[in-house]
Amino acid sequence: MSIPRILIIAGSDSGGGAGIQADIRTVTMLGGHATTAITAITAQNTLGVTAIHPVPVEIVLAQIDAVTSDIGCDAVKIGMIGSAEIAHAVADRLEALDCPIVFDPVMIATSGSVLADPETIVAFERLMTIASVVTPNLPELTALGGRQAVLAYGCHLAEKGGHKEGPTILDQLYAPKDRLVMEIEAERIDTPDTHGTGCTFAAALATGLGSGLSIGEAFIQAVRFVRLAILNAPGLGEGHGPVGHALGMVPFDVVDGEGEDDDA
């Protein structure tokens, strides 16, 4: 049995809605095996982030080395990076890997909490240089200098349209040299429960690429998975709640046969 191995390099969300926690659930639901290198520990819930503790760079690299040397890697997803030092060290390590790399340039949480300082954002240039595809939301894209600036690094760009006002959302996939590969327009889902959508999208995209899908196929799957997860949000917390990665199901029940006699 072959299973795509997805290395997630990101921060931990104690509320479980975003970061490593959301990434693991996404990879699992899409048929992959998630390995992790945690870059930061955050104390957060649906209302915001109350504390951030960066993981020492040597521990981040040790996690990467441990899983890649034994389990291997078919794709990488990079999320919250923690510091400029970690960004440069991770870029150095990943240059040796021959697999797709999805970089989600996390700067601000859904709640509005800042997750990357100016020095770290500058260091994102190193990660965009090695990335196969970069997945910013519109405010993040503006902070990175716009579409042309990102594509100049030779990567693909998944331009997410959720932050633009209007009744519909337009998600676009661009190839280097500003070539529009495809776009998906869909009705906006009116809900506050969108915490972790960016993490989920990037993890889904990485899983698709690690599974052997083309970037277009992986993009379509990622958009669809995020929308289904939003529609199945469990309604937790008093702020921006997490999406429902299990898509309204209990996966064990689906396999085991929901409603069967447990003693049979």
Side-chain angles (χ1 to χ4, degrees):
M1 179 179 179
S2 177
I3 185 170
R5 304 156 298 175
I6 313 301
L7 169 60
I8 303 162
I9 304 172
S12 170
D13 172 2
S14 59
I20 287 283
Q21 288 82 349
D23 295 338
I24 292 173
R25 291 198 295 272
T26 299
V27 171
T28 302
M29 287 298 294
L30 292 174
H33 174 77
T35 60
T36 63
I38 298 176
T39 59
I41 299 169
T42 71
Q44 64 175 294
N45 53 30
T46 67
L47 298 173
V49 180
T50 57
I52 299 175
H53 177 69
V55 173
V57 63
E58 62 270 19
I59 299 300
V60 175
L61 295 180
Q63 293 174 85
I64 294 172
D65 292 344
V67 297
T68 56
S69 64
D70 175 39
I71 298 171
C73 179
D74 296 304
V76 178
K77 183 262 176 164
I78 306 171
M80 179 184 178
I81 204 66
S83 70
E85 182 183 13
I86 292 175
H88 287 292
V90 166
D92 289 341
R93 217 34 139 247
L94 296 185
E95 282 179 334
L97 294 183
D98 183 21
C99 66
I101 297 173
V102 176
F103 174 41
D104 181 21
V106 176
M107 300 179 193
I108 300 176
T110 302
S111 62
S113 302
V114 176
L115 299 177
D117 60 25
E119 185 181 2
T120 302
I121 294 172
V122 171
F124 283 174
E125 296 180 1
R126 286 292 315 283
L127 297 172
M128 289 190 288
T129 299
I130 64 169
S132 308
V133 56
V134 179
T135 65
N137 59 36
L138 293 179
E140 290 165 346
L141 182 59
T142 298
L144 293 172
R147 183 190 305 155
Q148 299 288 347
V150 172
L151 292 173
Y153 290 96
C155 56
H156 282 70
L157 169 66
E159 189 172 310
K160 301 176 297 187
H163 281 73
K164 190 173 183 179
E165 295 184 0
T168 62
I169 292 177
L170 182 65
D171 297 312
Q172 298 174 301
L173 177 64
Y174 286 89
K177 299 183 179 180
D178 201 17
R179 180 174 64 86
L180 179 63
V181 177
M182 66 172 56
E183 57 185 19
I184 300 174
E185 186 171 12
E187 182 179 353
R188 183 181 297 276
I189 301 169
D190 185 16
T191 175
D193 295 334
T194 57
H195 183 51
T197 49
C199 301
T200 299
F201 175 82
L205 189 60
T207 307
L209 294 173
S211 301
L213 298 181
S214 70
I215 191 165
E217 292 169 333
F219 178 76
I220 292 170
Q221 176 176 269
V223 171
R224 177 169 169 75
F225 183 77
V226 170
R227 288 187 62 82
L228 289 171
I230 292 173
L231 288 170
N232 287 281
L236 302 177
E238 301 298 324
H240 294 281
V243 300
H245 293 94
L247 309 184
M249 303 180 293
V250 178
F252 181 77
D253 289 345
V254 174
V255 174
D256 199 47
E258 186 176 6
E260 289 185 0
D261 185 350
D262 292 340
D263 296 325

